[in-house]
Amino acid sequence: MKAITLLGSTGSIGTQTLDIVAQYPDQFRIVGLAAGNNVELLASQIRQFRPSIVAICSEEKLPALKEAIKDFAPQPIILAGDAGVIEVARHGDAETVVTGIVGCAGLLPTIAAIEAGKDIALANKETLIAGGPVVLPLIKKYGVKLLPADSEHSAIFQCLQGVPDGGLRRILLTASGGAFRDWAVDKLTEVTVADALKHPNWSMGRKITVDSATLMNKGLEVIEAHFLFGLDYENIEIVIHPQSIIHSLIELQDTSVLAQLGWADMRLPLLYALSWPDRIYTNWERLDLVKIGSLTFREPDHQKYPCMKLAYAVGRAGGSMPAVLNAANEQAVALFLEEKIRFLDIPRCIELVCDRHESDNRPNPSLDDILAADKWARQEVLKATEKLENRLRIISLR
Ligand code: MG
C-alpha cells in the first residue's frame, strides 16, 4: 500500500486525489493533509482518511479546525501556517507527496518534501516554472522521482515509457483553446470573470481556468515541459485540439509520433502519477472513438493570445525570468478575479513586469533570488495597476 501526503487537499486536485484514494483503499493510504482555509471540508477529510498529521495554512482557522475534530480519535498532529504545511510535506513515511497547492506557494513545501526523500506527484506547475533551477538539482541530489500530474505532461511521460535516452525529438502539447477560442478578438475587451471561468472541457480551479482562457496555462506548460523533459524550446510546440481527447504527443527521432488519449478527466493523470510504473484497473468510462467522431487540430493564434509567445521568450531567457512571469501572472489573475483589472490587462501586466526584470535577470538563481523575484514581480503588478484612477480600464503599456 502506497503512503501519500496531499498538499492542497480541499482544492480541485486535492479532492480528485482523495476520490482515487477512497476508490482504492487497498492501494493507497493518507499520511498527511494540508489545506488553505476550508475548515469544514478538511475536517470531513480527516474523519474519512484518518491522516497522522494535518495543517491549515490560514493560522486564524486553527481553533476552528481543532474544534471541528475535537471528538475524533485518533487525533492527528494539527499545525497551521506556512511552517505547518512544510512540516506536513516532510512528515512520516509518506512515499509520494501530491502537490495540489495553487501557485508559487507550493515551492517551499515541495522542496521540503524532496529533502525528506519523497517522490513528488507534480500537480503544481508553478513550483517547477518558478523554482526549476533550484528544484531540478535537488531532485537529482536526493534521488527522488518527479512524476507529472498535469494532463499534458502525464501524456508525454506515458508516451516516453520505453523510449530510450535521446529518442525524443519533439513535444506537441495540445491545448483546448480555453473559454474564448470561438470568440472574435474584439470581443475580448468585454470579457467578464464569469465568462473566463467557463472552461469548455476541463473542470479545474479558478486560477488555472483563467490561465486556460488567456492561454498562459499552455505557455507555462511549455516551460514545465522544458524542465521536465529537457528539450529545447524550438522542439516544444503547441497545437490547438478543441476536443481535449489527445492529451499531448511526442515525436521520436525517426518521425514516429506517439499520443496518449482519454476523456478530459484529471483523475487519470493523477492516478498514473500515484501508481507509476504500475497500471491499476478502473471502472471509469472508457474511451469511445466512434462517439467522439472526429479529432481536429489548428494552429494557435498568437495575435489573440500573446501569453504563449511571452512564455517562450521568458523560457528562453531562463534564470529568474520564469519566476517573474509566473508571479506577475498569479498577481494579475488575482486582480482580474477581484474585477480590478480587465482580461486583456493580464498579458499587458506580465509583459511590463518581465521587461523591467530583463536587466536584473539572474542566470543561475538561488532559492532566495527566486523568492525575491517572485515578491518583486507581484509588487510591480500592484504598482502598475494602482496608479489607475479606475482599475477597470485597460492599462497602457509604456
Ligand atoms: Mg495541463
Side-chain angles (χ1 to χ4, degrees):
M1 190 159 19
K2 192 177 257 184
I4 292 166
T5 280
L6 177 51
L7 308 179
S9 69
T10 56
S12 172
I13 292 293
T15 52
Q16 293 185 79
T17 303
L18 289 176
D19 274 353
I20 294 171
V21 174
Q23 251 182 74
Y24 301 98
D26 51 340
Q27 303 273 357
F28 306 115
R29 69 180 168 88
I30 292 293
V31 173
L33 294 175
N37 54 30
N38 189 339
V39 168
E40 205 179 321
L41 184 52
L42 179 58
S44 84
Q45 291 175 342
I46 293 168
R47 289 175 192 278
Q48 186 179 356
F49 296 97
R50 316 172 76 84
S52 50
I53 187 168
V54 300
I56 185 117
C57 192
S58 156
E59 306 209 18
E60 64 269 32
K61 296 283 173 79
L62 181 62
L65 178 62
K66 286 184 169 165
E67 177 65 24
I69 55 163
K70 69 170 189 237
D71 62 328
F72 178 72
Q75 279 277 305
I77 302 165
I78 308 173
L79 304 169
D82 294 335
V85 177
I86 288 172
E87 203 45 49
V88 169
R90 65 168 148 238
H91 181 85
D93 64 348
E95 200 178 314
T96 303
V97 173
V98 180
T99 60
I101 294 176
V102 178
C104 193
L107 179 58
L108 293 178
T110 304
I111 289 175
I114 295 167
E115 288 174 344
K118 317 228 179 261
D119 292 337
I120 304 295
L122 188 77
N124 169 297
K125 62 181 66 104
E126 294 89 346
T127 292
L128 197 57
I129 288 153
V134 171
V135 169
L136 291 177
L138 287 176
I139 294 282
K140 219 172 178 178
K141 179 176 170 193
Y142 289 92
V144 300
K145 287 186 279 293
L146 190 57
L147 301 155
D150 204 349
S151 62
E152 295 78 1
H153 305 77
S154 173
I156 295 160
F157 183 61
Q158 292 182 57
C159 292
L160 280 171
Q161 301 299 308
V163 171
D165 281 352
L168 178 63
R169 177 163 169 181
R170 181 169 61 135
I171 284 171
L172 289 154
L173 280 176
T174 52
S176 69
F180 307 123
R181 65 183 178 206
D182 301 318
W183 288 41
V185 186
D186 52 355
K187 272 195 74 190
L188 292 182
T189 53
E190 302 155 22
V191 161
T192 66
V193 170
D195 293 332
L197 289 177
K198 275 181 221 137
H199 196 283
N201 302 345
W202 293 91
S203 155
M204 301 180 293
R206 283 157 61 89
K207 190 258 177 186
I208 188 172
T209 304
V210 175
D211 285 348
S212 297
T214 60
L215 271 284
M216 180 52 97
N217 183 51
K218 210 50 55 181
L220 295 174
E221 287 178 353
V222 167
I223 302 175
E224 185 184 11
H226 167 78
F227 282 132
L228 278 172
F229 305 111
L231 280 194
D232 292 338
Y233 284 95
E234 41 275 27
N235 296 314
I236 304 172
E237 288 173 24
I238 296 170
V239 61
I240 303 295
H241 167 45
Q243 295 84 13
S244 293
I245 295 295
I246 296 182
H247 298 313
S248 276
L249 314 91
I250 61 170
E251 184 187 4
L252 304 176
Q253 296 297 350
D254 57 7
T255 73
S256 186
V257 173
L258 307 182
Q260 185 262 336
L261 286 73
W263 298 116
D265 182 344
M266 274 310 295
R267 290 178 307 168
L268 196 48
L270 283 167
L271 176 65
Y272 190 63
L274 296 178
S275 68
W276 179 88
D278 295 327
R279 293 284 185 174
I280 292 178
Y281 173 89
T282 77
N283 58 5
W284 298 344
E285 186 187 357
R286 295 162 76 185
L287 193 64
D288 183 341
L289 287 174
V290 174
K291 191 169 149 189
I292 298 160
S294 63
L295 301 175
T296 59
F297 307 93
R298 55 186 195 228
E299 246 185 295
D301 183 341
H302 293 286
Q303 272 340 94
K304 188 169 162 187
Y305 297 112
C307 285
M308 287 178 287
K309 283 218 160 133
L310 268 173
Y312 271 103
V314 159
R316 288 189 168 104
S320 49
M321 199 61 116
V324 166
L325 171 95
N326 177 67
N329 180 56
E330 281 188 32
Q331 188 62 68
V333 170
L335 288 172
F336 170 71
L337 286 170
E338 292 166 21
E339 300 186 322
K340 288 180 175 161
I341 62 171
R342 289 195 179 184
F343 183 73
L344 291 179
D345 290 332
I346 297 172
R348 290 187 174 99
C349 287
I350 299 165
E351 188 175 7
L352 177 78
V353 175
C354 288
D355 280 354
R356 285 185 186 160
H357 186 64
E358 228 172 296
S359 52
D360 296 325
N361 187 20
R362 304 273 177 122
N364 292 302
S366 66
L367 179 59
D368 285 344
D369 293 335
I370 287 167
L371 296 174
D374 177 279
K375 194 174 163 194
W376 172 84
R378 285 167 205 268
Q379 285 164 350
E380 286 298 299
V381 171
L382 290 172
K383 266 198 256 166
T385 53
E386 79 191 354
K387 281 181 201 136
L388 302 173
E389 288 160 36
N390 169 10
R391 277 183 175 168
L392 276 172
R393 66 191 173 87
I394 293 170
I395 62 169
S396 65
L397 243 186
R398 289 185 182 87

